[in-house]
């Protein structure tokens, strides 16, 4: 499957195996399919608010990934039902990418505030307002697991992997987003 450099980098930043990974605002679900291919989770969840997209994606997954565990959810990411899938000691990974920073932070805030006792890691890639996103993540007491910068079609994207269990602070400007990560086409 051919995917953008940004989506490829996001998939590469999923290093651990998770019980549940949520590909949120998934559109055609390309990132979740990469993670299914790589066997990164017991179950990959695809979430978007557009019913027609989700119907089409479900049909595709039934044809292509009949032997793997996945679920399609047509719902607002702010209402993600993480607490229905908790397993003791195992964090779930929530990925939100390809949406603006303001929406992304509204979604992360809603998830954190509605389900404070669920163990969750976030992998985030906003398309704008990364500085604001970083400040908001720090305000939510989310700490940094890893971060990187990726160039894709002459645009730069920051990717942040964060969780409440991580101790390293999220800084307003990425300390670890070194130029060594930058690749030009
Ligand atoms: C540009 S696509 C991003 C696709 C993919 N995540 C990526 O990084 O390329 C944005 C998607 O977010 C979805 N979306 C926007 N707000 C949402 C919300 N509150 N809950 C679920 N999906 C949402 C839209 O329907 C759209 O399919």
């Amino acid at each position: 499957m051919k995917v953008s450099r940004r989506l490829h980098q996001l998939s590469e930043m999923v290093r651990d195996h998770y019980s549940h990974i949520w590909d949120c605002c998934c559109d055609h679900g390309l990132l979740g399919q990469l993670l299914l291919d790589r066997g990164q989770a017991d179950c990959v969840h695809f979430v978007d608010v557009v019913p027609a997209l989700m119907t089409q994606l479900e049909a595709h997954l039934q044809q292509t990934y009949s032997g793997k565990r996945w679920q399609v959810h047509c719902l607002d990411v702010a209402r993600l039902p993480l607490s229905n899938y908790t397993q003791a000691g195992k964090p779930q990974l929530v990925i939100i990418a390809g949406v603006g920073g303001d929406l992304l932070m509204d979604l992360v805030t809603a998830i954190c505030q509605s389900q404070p006792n669920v163990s969750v890691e976030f992998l985030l890639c906003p398309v704008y307002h990364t500085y604001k996103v970083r400040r908001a993540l720090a305000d939510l007491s989310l700490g940094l697991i890893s971060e990187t910068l990726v160039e894709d079609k002459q645009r730069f994207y920051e990717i942040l992997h964060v969780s409440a269990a991580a101790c390293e602070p999220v800084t307003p400007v990425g300390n670890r987003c070194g130029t060594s990560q930058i690749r030009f086409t």
Side-chain angles (χ1 to χ4, degrees):
M1 184 172 42
K2 186 149 174 54
V3 299
S4 68
R5 184 176 281 177
R6 179 180 59 87
L7 290 181
H8 177 75
Q9 181 63 46
L10 274 159
S11 76
E12 290 283 302
M13 287 179 73
V14 182
R15 302 228 163 88
D16 293 337
H17 182 273
Y18 294 86
S19 50
H20 296 277
I21 295 180
W22 299 80
D23 179 9
C24 297
C25 302
C26 68
D27 198 5
H28 296 289
L30 296 180
L31 179 56
Q33 290 175 65
L34 274 184
L35 298 171
L36 273 177
D37 287 336
R38 286 180 35 192
Q40 289 295 142
D42 295 340
C43 183
V44 175
H45 301 260
F46 297 84
V47 187
D48 203 286
V49 272
V50 179
L53 269 178
M54 295 294 89
T55 305
Q56 195 184 8
L57 177 60
E58 187 162 32
H60 172 71
L61 294 172
Q62 276 164 356
Q63 279 185 350
T64 317
Y65 294 100
S66 58
K68 305 241 182 187
R69 274 188 66 205
W70 49 265
Q71 286 185 31
V72 170
H73 308 258
C74 188
L75 55 80
D76 186 339
V77 168
R79 301 158 65 93
L80 221 53
L82 297 181
S83 53
N84 296 348
Y85 296 87
T86 49
Q87 285 182 19
K90 292 193 176 177
Q92 302 180 50
L93 180 66
V94 171
I95 305 176
I96 309 175
V99 297
D102 286 334
L103 172 60
L104 183 143
M105 278 322 306
D106 286 349
L107 298 175
V108 172
T109 303
I111 293 166
C112 289
Q113 290 180 348
S114 63
Q115 301 170 89
N117 299 321
V118 175
S119 175
V120 57
E121 296 177 8
F122 293 94
L123 186 60
L124 305 171
C125 182
V127 290
Y128 306 111
H129 305 133
T130 311
Y131 182 80
K132 269 170 81 178
V133 167
R134 287 175 167 278
R135 299 299 289 256
L137 292 174
D139 288 346
L140 284 169
S141 302
L142 292 166
L144 190 67
I145 297 171
S146 66
E147 63 184 340
T148 195
L149 183 67
V150 63
E151 185 264 343
D152 187 1
K153 299 190 187 80
Q154 298 175 333
R155 278 189 69 168
F156 289 92
Y157 300 90
E158 291 182 30
I159 304 177
L160 293 136
H161 186 180
V162 297
S163 91
C167 298
E168 186 173 336
V170 176
T171 53
V173 178
N175 288 345
R176 292 204 225 153
C177 285
T179 49
S180 61
Q181 302 286 344
I182 300 174
R183 292 184 294 180
F184 295 91
T185 44

